[in-house]
Amino acid sequence: MRPIVLAGLALATATLLAGCSGSSSSDGRSLVSGGAAKAAPARAADAAGERANPAGGGAAKAPDVADAQSKIVKADISVSVQHADEVAARADQAGVIARRYGGDVYAEQRSGGAHAAATVTIKVRPADTTAALDDLAGLGKELDRHMSTEDVTQQVADVDSRVRSAQLAIDQLNALYSRASKVSDMIVIDNELAQRQSDLEALLAQQRALAHQTALATIDLSLSTAAATPAAAHHARTGFLGGLQRGWDAFTSAAGGLATGFGAALPFLVVLALLGAGGVYGYRRTRHPAPPQPAAE
């Protein structure tokens, strides 16, 4: 039984390696059956020959690639809203736009106040990305937008092929395990199965991630409050009234500056005045000492 086990392990490993390199998987004729031990290597050679030359001649056939391309589409757009109290309503409308194109809101962050802002991440059908961006631009004044597309068709095909090969290798090992009669053979096959199951789970995780990224396009929307419009300058007056107004403005500006300077210097002036008064008092006492008192009789 051990030659069959070893041959089966070799077949499972060869099948998995063939899948990792992107070649087509075996059609199942290399699966170990209940025949004699010498038949397993022959079947493996036949299967390898069919993979190398499926039509009886010529080079090996490359795996079929799906006609539809797999792409990861990402975009971002910045929109300015006139009033701060409108930001929340515009963020809610972004969710309506996402659902209109087969998607939904996946992340959101808002801040209030005079400079309210919001960041909304939505997902839509990839074919509707441009239409969704145009609708989002209508929420206010568009500031900028960017869109990128990454073609992952080959990566998706490679992962799919590796998943199929890993599943076939596990099926082969399960068949060997059911026919094993020795404990040592069962332990070897069980360890190999555990490793193959771990590899398959990692590949399935990659497959799900790629499917999720290619199924919907990601759009990041940034909403911000428009800067306040400066007030229009007053029409400059001319003549006597214009001169009087400009003179009054200059006077009030100068008076304000003087008042500000005096207020800043006042604490220092008070301290200097106190020090000066103390100095004058001390000087007078030393210059004019008190007259001596007459001696008592």
Side-chain angles (χ1 to χ4, degrees):
M1 188 66 187
R2 181 171 293 276
I4 298 178
V5 172
L6 296 178
L9 291 176
L11 285 175
T13 303
T15 301
L16 187 60
L17 291 175
C20 294
S21 61
S23 63
S24 59
S25 61
S26 172
D27 60 0
R29 279 176 286 185
S30 63
L31 202 70
V32 176
S33 60
K38 294 182 180 180
R43 285 194 299 271
D46 293 340
E50 289 176 5
R51 285 194 300 269
N53 191 1
K61 183 180 180 180
D64 294 333
V65 179
D67 295 334
Q69 290 185 323
S70 299
K71 297 181 180 181
I72 298 177
V73 181
K74 295 182 179 180
D76 60 85
I77 183 171
S78 299
V79 177
S80 176
V81 180
Q82 186 65 33
H83 303 291
D85 55 359
E86 297 177 349
V87 172
R90 298 294 187 269
D92 293 338
Q93 292 179 16
V96 176
I97 293 173
R99 288 183 286 274
R100 181 186 306 161
Y101 295 106
D104 207 341
V105 176
Y106 279 70
E108 186 175 2
Q109 183 177 358
R110 303 185 186 189
S111 62
H115 301 284
T119 301
V120 184
T121 299
I122 65 174
K123 290 183 180 292
V124 299
R125 291 185 295 265
D128 298 325
T129 304
T130 302
L133 287 172
D134 292 339
D135 289 352
L136 292 173
L139 298 178
K141 179 181 178 181
E142 179 180 350
L143 301 179
D144 59 70
R145 74 165 73 179
H146 303 89
M147 187 171 71
S148 63
T149 302
E150 180 184 0
D151 190 352
V152 291
T153 305
Q154 186 60 42
Q155 185 178 354
V156 170
D158 179 65
V159 172
D160 291 345
S161 176
R162 294 171 64 185
V163 167
R164 290 191 298 269
S165 299
Q167 290 172 338
L168 180 58
I170 291 174
D171 292 341
Q172 292 174 341
L173 290 172
N174 283 326
L176 285 173
Y177 189 86
S178 65
R179 294 176 175 84
S181 59
K182 294 182 179 181
V183 175
S184 58
D185 294 340
M186 296 174 67
I187 293 175
V188 172
I189 298 174
D190 188 66
N191 291 336
E192 192 71 17
L193 268 173
Q195 181 61 43
R196 295 291 175 257
Q197 287 284 2
S198 177
D199 295 342
L200 178 60
E201 290 175 1
L203 289 171
L204 290 175
Q206 295 182 31
Q207 192 179 52
R208 289 191 298 268
L210 286 171
H212 180 73
Q213 291 175 335
T214 57
L216 294 173
T218 303
I219 301 178
D220 292 323
L221 168 66
S222 297
L223 293 169
S224 60
T225 305
T229 304
H234 295 289
H235 188 270
R237 294 181 178 179
T238 58
F240 174 76
L241 294 178
L244 180 62
Q245 180 179 1
R246 286 190 290 274
W248 177 254
D249 293 338
F251 173 76
T252 54
S253 298
L258 291 176
T260 301
F262 179 74
L266 183 60
F268 299 95
L269 295 176
V270 172
V271 173
L272 291 175
L274 293 175
L275 291 177
V280 171
Y281 178 76
Y283 175 77
R284 288 181 177 178
R285 284 188 59 89
T286 56
R287 186 69 181 270
H288 302 286
Q293 298 292 333
E297 293 182 359

